[in-house]
Amino acid sequence: KKEDLLGHKRNKQFAYPRQIAMYLCRELIRASYPAIAESFGKKDHTTILYAYEKIDKEIHNNSEIKTMIDDIRKNINTK
């Protein structure tokens, strides 16, 4: 849900999809870290930087994560 992505809950059920959304914002629309932070209701852009670097590293180290991100990209691009 949109509320979950924009919320502040820190458990993995909500935080990990939120990090993926932050990563995709940076990758797909090339929004600045501060702009993404503002969109997600975060006070500091370093949260976005951390999320981006974490997901980017996982994509390079885990083929399942890469496939999942690629599938999300395809779904976004077909809409």
Side-chain angles (χ1 to χ4, degrees):
K1 294 180 192 176
K2 180 180 176 181
E3 301 85 33
D4 295 332
L5 285 178
L6 298 177
H8 297 285
K9 294 180 181 175
R10 291 185 173 193
N11 53 334
K12 192 170 183 173
Q13 172 186 355
F14 300 109
Y16 193 68
R18 186 179 307 123
Q19 290 172 334
I20 291 172
M22 292 172 180
Y23 171 85
L24 289 170
C25 285
R26 180 71 175 162
E27 281 290 303
L28 297 177
I29 62 174
R30 290 291 185 205
S32 68
Y33 293 117
I36 297 168
E38 185 177 326
S39 297
F40 279 84
K42 304 295 180 191
K43 294 178 183 176
D44 192 354
H45 74 280
T46 58
T47 302
I48 312 309
L49 180 60
Y50 171 80
Y52 181 86
E53 290 175 350
K54 176 184 175 182
I55 300 302
D56 189 56
K57 183 178 177 181
E58 288 188 20
I59 287 170
H60 289 92
N61 294 330
N62 185 329
S63 61
E64 289 180 29
I65 299 297
K66 182 181 182 335
T67 300
M68 180 182 68
I69 299 292
D70 288 344
D71 289 345
I72 293 170
R73 285 179 192 240
K74 287 176 192 172
N75 285 328
I76 291 171
N77 289 330
T78 60
K79 292 185 178 188

